[in-house]
Amino acid sequence: MNQDRIREARSLWAEAWRRLRRNRLAMVCLAVISLYLALGLLGFVPVRQRQGAGEAATVRRIDLVDWAFLKLVGPTDREESYVPPLTGRHLLGTDIMGTDVLYKAVKGVRTAVVLGGLTAAIYIPLGLLFGIVAGYFGGLVDDLIVYVYSTLACVPGILLLIALMSVMGKGLVQLCLAMGVTSWVGLCRLIRGETLKLRESDYVLAARAVGAGRARIILRHILPNLFHIVIISFTLGFSGIVLSEAVLSYIGVGVEATTISWGTMISMARMEVSRDPSVWWHLAGGAAALFVLVLALNVFGDALRDALDPRLRVE
Amino acid sequence: MLAYVIRRTLYTVPLVLGVCLFTFLLFNAVFSPRALAIQELGQHAEDEAIRDLIHKRGWDKGVVFNKQAEGLRKLTDTRFVDHMQKLLLFRFGRTQKTHEDINRKILLGMVPSLTLTVPIFIMGLLLGISLSLFVAYFRATYLDLGAVAVCVGFMSISILVYIIVGQLLLAQHMRLFPVYGYAGGIHAGRFLLLPVLIALLKGLGGDVRFYRTILLEQIGQDYVRTARAKGLGERVILFKHVLKNAMIPVLTRTVLAIPFLFLGSLLLENFFGIPGLGNMTVEAAANGDTQVMAAMVYLGALLFALGNLLTDISYTLADPRIRLR
């Protein structure tokens, strides 16, 4: 009987995956998120394109998304500004420059993926490092780290973002830096709390009793038990990151106006919707691409949290 | 109680000083004095004018150590001390482009901001709690499920979309509200209706979902089972027992939001031309006005600290079991 129980036991991750898989809605959302990720990554695949013929031919490097739209829709034509949706080759219509709206929406995925990825690459290591150090070592280091993040947390998030961006100037990389600075605080707080608890747990005490060193305890016993917090906070934080990009780009402290993002699409479209007749498809294209991703992230993030650690629900 | 309030206030002193230091590092240490002066005077300013301005503003002094000064003034007559003094004593100085008094601008901007945010806050709270009570009453039915789905959907729409679509459909096409502008006194209401409506719609999704989670958590507690066992009706349980006990988490969210009402709403004020602090912040960010930004960041932090204090005090009023120590 005991043997059966042991065979049934699954790891935390296997158990969470089993629960997630039964949640059909969460699986649909995961599929949507994967589709977005795939589209975003396609934007990084370089393609060499030959222009002209014979001796005068030049080779241009473009990405796979550019190439696909060039083949399927054709080059951008300035004569075709404000073509309504479903006319000719433009499925979602065009903007003032004659650029295909579907093309812009798909290019926006790449910007969102860069934004989420780079921001995560900044704030997750920061939050993990400071959270573990503060929680595990305590004392003066803990006081210092708590002081620094409490100070940062005093400034309302959006105000801090605007302040940082107005100093660093517009741009995708700057935006990722600013969001990294504002995002690590929340993660650090969670990680510190969990580390404090894990430090006193029986299995860490047991490891210490058999003579495991600090590094071994932190890397082998504490760190793996913090990853679920990182994954949950990243999934739920990603939607906040893309939503903030739209707001900041509208205010004029987000990405450059030449960068194609959902935020720049929405701010460009603001004036167009009040034209007569209204050019609504540019706004709708950007807003819908943003909405679907954020919705999928919210629903999947909630399901993930319920599967991995329902205690995090009350915050 | 008074001792507690004083002690809590003292706790926030290092935090406020930290925020001042942060704004100093962010806005003063990053730019050279020359860059700041050019920002104020324009690209084509003459060298002499730039030098004059740098001297007038005290930007030629050392950052933390002034070699030219005498005695103790070597440490006190510095850019760092100037900056800290300015913020801590609420002497924010003048805006960079138009040379307006920032203190005056903030005082004037607070009124339109409050006329916008206070109605949003009160109506949002009442609507959020009543709707979530309604949803909690029908928990685990299709109505509940549908409500949660609608809430998550509402939360996933960008605030920009709410504003643009609201302005386009309700103000421009249906002509129910003015599109843009603001007037003082009683006429303000006409201009504020649409922004308030949009903010309520935007906030409702998150609020209802949050309150519902809290209510359902309370409904699962033992005292609810006891109340049901002794024959109380569902309505009495929900409104009298559950709602009272759910007040603590509700208070945290609500009281913390009160001080921020003074800061106004960045986007709503900008879109609808309401001359409040939110609009001022957006303009400062667009113009790169570091003086205004520093003042707003500092004010925001102060209000946050105040909100935290108010939250702790309100706990004891809501729950006699919590003692202040």
Side-chain angles (χ1 to χ4, degrees):
Chain A
M1 166 127 182
N2 262 343
Q3 280 294 318
D4 290 345
R5 280 235 182 103
I6 289 167
R7 216 170 291 145
E8 265 175 36
R10 300 181 187 89
S11 74
L12 171 76
W13 297 98
E15 174 63 23
W17 175 241
R18 194 181 62 86
R19 267 190 252 173
L20 266 181
R21 235 181 13 199
R22 277 193 314 205
N23 186 342
R24 210 175 296 159
L25 189 60
M27 289 329 276
V28 171
C29 291
L30 183 63
V32 171
I33 296 168
S34 310
L35 182 70
Y36 267 84
L37 269 181
L39 274 180
L41 293 178
L42 282 186
F44 291 103
V45 180
V47 177
R48 291 156 74 89
Q49 192 211 13
R50 197 178 284 273
Q51 272 185 327
E55 292 288 303
T58 50
V59 175
R60 210 161 51 115
R61 292 174 70 92
I62 53 175
D63 66 56
L64 201 56
V65 173
D66 289 328
W67 180 81
F69 273 89
L70 211 57
K71 288 278 168 208
L72 295 172
V73 185
T76 300
D77 189 352
R78 284 210 175 195
E79 302 286 299
E80 289 185 302
S81 72
Y82 296 143
V83 173
L86 297 174
T87 29
R89 49 212 174 90
H90 300 292
L91 204 57
L92 295 183
T94 62
D95 69 354
I96 184 172
M97 307 293 284
T99 318
D100 190 88
V101 169
L102 184 62
Y103 167 73
K104 291 183 86 172
V106 173
K107 283 292 264 193
V109 179
R110 192 188 119 131
T111 311
V113 167
V114 171
L115 208 59
L118 204 53
T119 306
I122 295 169
Y123 89 86
I124 289 179
L126 272 181
L128 265 178
L129 178 70
F130 289 127
I132 291 177
V133 167
Y136 191 80
F137 294 104
L140 207 61
V141 197
D142 184 28
D143 289 341
L144 188 70
I145 291 173
V146 171
Y147 174 67
V148 170
Y149 77 55
S150 309
T151 305
L152 273 180
C154 271
V155 184
I158 188 81
L159 213 53
L160 186 58
L161 275 177
I162 294 177
L164 288 169
M165 287 308 287
S166 69
V167 168
M168 291 192 289
K170 279 187 205 183
L172 190 56
V173 178
Q174 287 92 322
L175 191 58
C176 293
L177 269 173
M179 297 224 192
V181 169
T182 52
S183 308
W184 73 274
V185 171
L187 181 66
C188 185
R189 201 175 263 164
L190 286 176
I191 294 288
R192 176 180 171 271
E194 191 70 13
T195 308
L196 269 175
K197 214 165 52 199
L198 290 178
R199 190 180 63 171
E200 305 300 329
S201 65
D202 287 341
Y203 70 85
V204 168
L205 286 180
R208 197 173 294 146
V210 295
R214 273 185 203 149
R216 192 184 166 82
I217 290 178
I218 289 176
L219 292 177
R220 292 290 302 273
H221 298 286
I222 292 186
L223 193 62
N225 288 306
L226 296 171
F227 276 141
H228 70 282
I229 297 183
V230 173
I231 291 202
I232 294 166
S233 94
F234 173 67
T235 315
L236 289 173
F238 197 173
S239 60
I241 289 173
V242 265
L243 283 174
S244 304
E245 184 273 328
V247 170
L248 291 172
S249 293
Y250 169 78
I251 293 178
V253 290
V255 298
E256 298 271 10
T258 47
T259 309
I260 300 177
S261 76
W262 301 322
T264 51
M265 282 176 82
I266 294 175
S267 14
M268 256 180 86
R270 189 205 166 186
M271 287 303 155
E272 297 170 0
V273 286
S274 47
R275 285 169 69 99
D276 196 33
S278 172
V279 178
W280 50 267
W281 46 89
H282 194 191
L283 175 72
L290 178 64
F291 171 72
V292 172
L293 178 62
V294 172
L295 184 66
L297 282 170
N298 278 343
V299 174
F300 182 70
D302 278 349
L304 195 65
R305 180 181 52 193
D306 289 347
L308 279 172
D309 192 355
R311 282 176 306 128
L312 290 174
R313 179 172 272 280
V314 198
E315 269 174 41
Chain B
M1 179 78 165
L2 186 69
Y4 175 80
V5 171
I6 292 172
R7 206 165 51 237
R8 273 308 308 259
T9 317
L10 287 179
Y11 277 143
T12 59
V13 170
L15 290 181
V16 169
L17 285 177
V19 171
C20 289
L21 179 68
F22 175 72
T23 57
F24 177 74
L25 291 176
L26 191 62
F27 294 118
N28 284 48
V30 172
F31 298 113
S32 68
R34 205 182 150 74
L36 280 173
I38 288 177
Q39 207 173 34
E40 190 165 335
L41 296 169
Q43 276 305 334
H44 307 291
E46 288 178 16
D47 268 2
E48 195 146 331
I50 291 176
R51 237 173 285 135
D52 278 352
L53 187 78
I54 288 176
H55 185 71
K56 206 175 105 195
R57 291 286 144 87
W59 289 334
D60 52 352
K61 290 188 250 180
V63 175
V64 286
F65 189 79
N66 191 351
K67 279 187 210 146
Q68 274 97 43
E70 290 297 316
L72 200 61
R73 284 179 63 82
K74 272 190 196 303
L75 283 173
T76 56
D77 194 20
T78 57
R79 278 170 68 188
F80 175 66
V81 174
D82 280 356
H83 179 85
M84 299 296 264
Q85 232 173 13
K86 243 170 76 177
L87 292 187
L88 291 175
L89 299 176
F90 297 98
R91 286 190 207 129
F92 296 132
R94 293 180 177 274
T95 58
Q96 280 178 355
K97 287 240 168 69
T98 50
H99 298 284
E100 287 167 273
D101 187 6
I102 296 178
N103 288 56
R104 207 178 117 78
K105 261 188 94 125
I106 287 177
L107 282 178
L108 284 178
M110 249 178 212
V111 181
S113 281
L114 284 174
T115 55
L116 175 68
T117 50
V118 170
I120 294 173
F121 173 74
I122 295 173
M123 285 158 77
L125 186 64
L126 293 179
L127 256 176
I129 292 186
S130 17
L131 276 178
S132 60
L133 276 171
F134 182 75
V135 172
Y137 186 79
F138 290 102
R139 64 191 171 275
T141 62
Y142 279 109
L143 186 83
D144 180 32
L145 197 71
V148 174
V150 170
C151 283
V152 177
F154 270 38
M155 283 166 66
S156 305
I157 300 174
S158 170
I159 171 88
L160 292 168
V161 174
Y162 282 99
I163 300 177
I164 295 175
V165 172
Q167 213 171 22
L168 180 76
L169 289 182
L170 299 176
Q172 208 176 331
H173 282 273
M174 294 163 81
R175 298 184 184 284
L176 294 175
F177 306 97
V179 177
Y180 187 91
Y182 186 77
I186 196 90
H187 300 291
R190 214 160 51 88
F191 292 101
L192 289 172
L193 266 174
L194 183 57
V196 169
L197 199 71
I198 289 174
L200 285 179
L201 203 63
K202 160 81 185 117
L204 220 50
D207 285 352
V208 171
R209 206 172 75 121
F210 175 77
Y211 297 138
R212 174 187 167 274
T213 311
I214 290 169
L215 289 175
L216 289 190
E217 207 164 83
Q218 290 295 328
I219 287 173
Q221 301 277 324
D222 285 343
Y223 72 86
V224 174
R225 199 185 313 151
T226 311
R228 208 167 278 145
K230 72 177 185 183
L232 288 184
E234 185 68 23
R235 241 161 272 184
V236 180
I237 294 176
L238 204 56
F239 284 96
K240 218 172 153 193
H241 296 243
V242 170
L243 189 58
K244 237 183 210 170
N245 281 288
M247 278 322 276
I248 286 275
V250 172
L251 271 178
T252 320
R253 190 184 169 103
T254 311
V255 178
L256 200 57
I258 291 177
F260 289 129
L261 300 179
F262 289 96
L263 290 182
S265 160
L266 297 174
L267 289 173
L268 285 170
E269 289 179 15
N270 188 260
F271 267 95
F272 289 97
I274 297 163
L277 293 186
N279 208 354
M280 189 173 118
T281 313
V282 172
E283 274 172 19
N287 297 332
D289 192 326
T290 53
Q291 306 292 316
V292 176
M293 286 308 302
M296 293 309 291
V297 167
Y298 175 63
L299 269 187
L302 270 190
L303 292 171
F304 177 82
L306 183 69
N308 262 334
L309 185 63
L310 287 178
T311 312
D312 284 350
I313 295 172
S314 65
Y315 279 162
T316 53
L317 300 179
D319 189 345
R321 284 173 306 180
I322 297 178
R323 293 260 178 277
L324 298 177
R325 264 184 219 116

